[in-house]
Structure formats: structure tokens, C-alpha cells
Amino acid sequence: MSDTAVHIKSVEDAASPALGRAGRVIIDIVGVCQAKCPYCAQNSSKARRREVAGSAYMPVELFRDIIVHLRKSVAFVKKIDRVYLYNWGEPFLAPQINEYLEILKEHGLYAVISSNFQKVPELRTENLPVINEVLFSLSGLTQETYGRIHGGKQFHIDNVLKNFQDFRARMKEHAPKSKLFMAWHRYTFNEHEFWPAYNYSRKHDVGFIPSVAFMNDLSELIQAASNKLPEARRTDAERDLYFSHMVNSFKSYREGGALYDCPAWDDVVVDEQGRLLICCGTDAKHAVGTVLDTPYDEMRQNKIKSPLCKVCKDTGVAEWAHNNHHERNQLPWPSGGGFSAFKLKLSYDKLRVKTDVRNALTKVAFGEAILDVYRKIKHS
């Protein structure tokens, strides 16, 4: 330990100026999702996913206690300006989502939400500006493709698109500074809809973030990287995902993986029952404490010492997961984009550079001061 390090007694102290720590704050306000996406951690047969519905929603008072608890932190006050209100649950299923947003508003914080837009709650107009960023998770523009992953037979793509368009219209009117993006998941069977999806995003003036789909349960990723994925699961993955590309991408990060300083160590990831998780790819089976009781340095050390964390780094999965915007993790755009391909590359490169610059600034002197000025300008 360096002579500048200090003992962190609790999450409130998580990032004293000496340490400069500040990861993301991810709070899963809902532990369930109505979609049945086969490669999502929600549907990978984990015990947590089968818990009774009554425990699937974070109590409002617990959420308030967590925010008050964290808000005392030097890191939280000066480095964290937003809270991710989702991990693998669908936040728009939360019956009391307006109350969560109001608590954030009371503390001068913003929300980031990702939704499949199969259902949209009645959000109060005054709460819309609290939502700083929205990701529309989408896997197809026709029922044939959408039904393979998100939709099934219960939800129709036409209704989903209408829900999103109505929501976008409200956000544009009442929260014009908020950013909306379409997170387009690329599968082997929907590549022909890539450019129509891009054109849809342009038509509705939302950002377009295409990403090669992958298994997002950390245990399965490690199995895939170690060639230990069950045969039936691998067969399905090879049919739907760019499986070989995903596995080869892991390998490209394997050298030096054991020495990787994982950013997830600094993240505060909380499930709907207040349990601290190793990272956003795990569940309560790998809890490292509870958010209101576990000292921050203990949480961090529990992550670092975890066998799961070690194998994640050794297989290259850890570094791969935190560099998803790098070209070696992605695939070239499909043909047929014309000038749209050029425009998309510019916007994607801008997003990649912005992410790299933000990460670099957190590691240098005065970097946080620069980011603090940027945050103030962004929200002014």
C-alpha cells in the first residue's frame, strides 16, 4: 500500500482525494424482467431469478437509505452525478419508479435507465428531467427478428416502437437535455435490419449504439472463454451469436490479464435487496456484502480476492468487458450503408474517444477537476 493510501472505513469514504476512487453506482430497483432474452443473465437459470415476486422490487425506503448513505461520500458528491437504475432487471416494471426519481432529484442526482419499452409506466412530468440518459434495448425491427430474443409471442414490435416513440416525444418536450439512444444488439439473424434500424434512430433523432450481442452472465462468459460451455448452450449460441468472434476477442485480452486492474472493483453494484455484487455480471450467489453495512475497502478487497474475479481476469473476460467499444470486440458494419456508414463511424468514434478520455482523466492530476467542470456545464 502506498504512503498516500488511507483506510476507508465505509462506503461513505469511498474515494477520498488521496485514493481518487469513484466507480459507477448501479442499483437494480427491480430484480425481474418480463422479456425472456435467452442470453441475458435474467434467464440463465440462476436461483436469484426464481425468487418470489414480493422480493423482486427494492423498497423505496431502502433506496432512500442507500442514496443518503452514499451521498455523504466525497466521491459521491464530487465524482458521481448519476445512478444507473438497472442492472439486469427492467426498471419500468417498478411500481414506485416515480418515488425513486424524486429521491434522486432531492439529492441533485440523475438517473440512467435501460428499457425494452414493452411497458412504460406513468412517469410524472416533473420527474422526466431527472432521467439523464435512456437506452432503448432492441434486437429486431420485425416480429420475426424481435420475437427471437426480446419479444416471444407476448409482445409485438409495433407496440414496443410506439411506446418508445410516445416516451421520446414526452422527453423531448419536458427534458430536452436528456440523451436517448437505441442500443442495437447484433445477432446472426438480424444483420439485414442493421441499416433500417440506424435509419429509424435518425428519423426519431436518437443516438444509435450497435453492439455485437453476447452472453451477459459472467459465469457463462467464463465458461465460453474456457471452452467449458455445456454443449446444448454452445449450439444455441453458435446459431444466434457471433460466438467464435466473441471467444477470440477474449483471447486477445488474455495476455497480462492476471495483472489487469479491473474498474469493476470500484463500482458499487447493488441488487434489489441491498446486496453488494462483485460486478454487473453477477448475482447474489457472488455477493460481497450489503450496501449499508459493508465497509468500502472490505467490499473492494472481497472482489479482488474472489476466485470468480481471478478467473475472469485470467481468461481475458474482465478487460474485454470494459473495452466493448474497441474495434477488436466489434464487427465491421454490414454492407449497404452508403453514406450512413461514414456518419455512423464518426458518431461511434466520437463515443469511443469520449469514453477513453473520461477514463484517462480519472487517472491523472486535475483530471477530476476537469470532469467536474464538464458535469456542471452538461447539467446547467
Side-chain angles (χ1 to χ4, degrees), residues 293-356:
D293 301 313
T294 304
Y296 183 84
D297 57 349
E298 180 181 329
M299 176 198 77
R300 198 171 188 274
Q301 287 303 313
N302 286 346
K303 293 182 180 185
I304 294 171
K305 293 185 296 184
S306 165
L308 182 67
C309 191
K310 182 181 185 302
V311 71
C312 183
K313 295 201 305 171
D314 290 347
T315 55
V317 170
E319 189 170 1
W320 167 87
H322 289 92
N323 291 281
N324 196 41
H325 57 279
H326 284 179
E327 289 185 0
R328 58 175 153 162
N329 287 12
Q330 299 301 318
L331 289 170
W333 316 136
S335 60
F339 187 63
S340 293
F342 174 74
K343 292 191 294 183
L344 177 58
K345 188 177 189 308
L346 287 180
S347 63
Y348 199 87
D349 286 348
K350 180 181 177 181
L351 181 65
R352 175 176 55 80
V353 170
K354 182 179 178 180
T355 301
D356 287 342

Side-chain angles (χ1 to χ4, degrees), residues 109-374:
L109 298 168
Y110 296 88
V112 179
I113 286 177
S114 176
S115 175
N116 52 47
F117 279 89
Q118 291 176 351
K119 297 181 179 180
V120 180
E122 291 293 331
L123 293 170
R124 297 173 191 142
T125 300
E126 62 270 22
N127 289 335
L128 295 178
V130 181
I131 304 174
N132 174 254
E133 187 174 303
V134 179
L135 296 174
F136 176 21
S137 181
L138 194 62
S139 58
L141 279 183
T142 62
Q143 192 61 25
E144 179 183 2
T145 52
Y146 184 74
R148 291 277 296 270
I149 300 296
H150 276 93
K153 297 180 180 179
Q154 184 179 3
F155 299 98
H156 199 281
I157 184 60
D158 291 345
N159 296 329
V160 171
L161 295 178
K162 184 179 186 305
N163 287 342
F164 175 69
Q165 289 160 205
D166 291 346
F167 176 85
R168 177 206 166 272
R170 288 195 70 201
M171 290 294 289
K172 184 174 183 180
E173 179 180 1
H174 301 290
K177 292 184 179 181
S178 299
K179 305 295 183 183
L180 276 70
F181 300 92
M182 176 192 289
W184 177 257
H185 307 289
R186 297 176 64 185
Y187 291 89
T188 57
F189 55 81
N190 72 358
E191 285 287 72
H192 64 288
E193 293 179 357
F194 184 99
W195 292 115
Y198 173 79
N199 292 333
Y200 175 90
S201 73
R202 294 295 83 207
K203 177 181 177 181
H204 296 283
D205 192 28
V206 298
F208 185 70
I209 306 177
S211 182
V212 175
F214 56 89
M215 295 173 160
N216 60 31
D217 183 294
L218 182 59
S219 295
E220 284 200 322
L221 284 174
I222 292 172
Q223 285 181 324
S226 307
N227 196 29
K228 296 180 180 179
L229 200 65
E231 183 177 352
R233 187 66 164 160
R234 181 187 178 104
T235 297
D236 288 346
E238 289 177 334
R239 179 194 64 215
D240 297 335
L241 305 174
Y242 290 99
F243 185 80
S244 295
H245 170 76
M246 180 181 75
V247 173
N248 289 333
S249 297
F250 297 153
K251 293 177 181 177
S252 71
Y253 291 99
R254 191 167 293 172
E255 184 177 354
L259 301 177
Y260 183 60
D261 189 7
C262 187
W265 294 338
D266 299 325
D267 289 346
V268 177
V269 185
V270 187
D271 77 359
E272 70 282 0
Q273 296 186 35
R275 296 171 292 206
L276 288 167
L277 309 182
I278 288 180
C279 68
C280 62
T282 61
D283 59 19
K285 181 180 178 181
H286 300 286
V288 292
T290 56
V291 65
L292 297 178
D293 301 313
T294 304
Y296 183 84
D297 57 349
E298 180 181 329
M299 176 198 77
R300 198 171 188 274
Q301 287 303 313
N302 286 346
K303 293 182 180 185
I304 294 171
K305 293 185 296 184
S306 165
L308 182 67
C309 191
K310 182 181 185 302
V311 71
C312 183
K313 295 201 305 171
D314 290 347
T315 55
V317 170
E319 189 170 1
W320 167 87
H322 289 92
N323 291 281
N324 196 41
H325 57 279
H326 284 179
E327 289 185 0
R328 58 175 153 162
N329 287 12
Q330 299 301 318
L331 289 170
W333 316 136
S335 60
F339 187 63
S340 293
F342 174 74
K343 292 191 294 183
L344 177 58
K345 188 177 189 308
L346 287 180
S347 63
Y348 199 87
D349 286 348
K350 180 181 177 181
L351 181 65
R352 175 176 55 80
V353 170
K354 182 179 178 180
T355 301
D356 287 342
V357 169
R358 183 190 295 271
N359 291 339
L361 285 174
T362 62
K363 300 177 182 179
V364 300
F366 306 111
E368 282 297 338
I370 296 173
L371 285 174
D372 193 38
V373 171
Y374 166 75

Side-chain angles (χ1 to χ4, degrees), residues 77-78 81 110 177 368-380:
V77 171
K78 294 191 176 181
D81 60 346
Y110 296 88
K177 292 184 179 181
E368 282 297 338
I370 296 173
L371 285 174
D372 193 38
V373 171
Y374 166 75
R375 294 183 189 109
K376 290 178 180 178
I377 294 174
K378 181 174 68 171
H379 296 308
S380 63

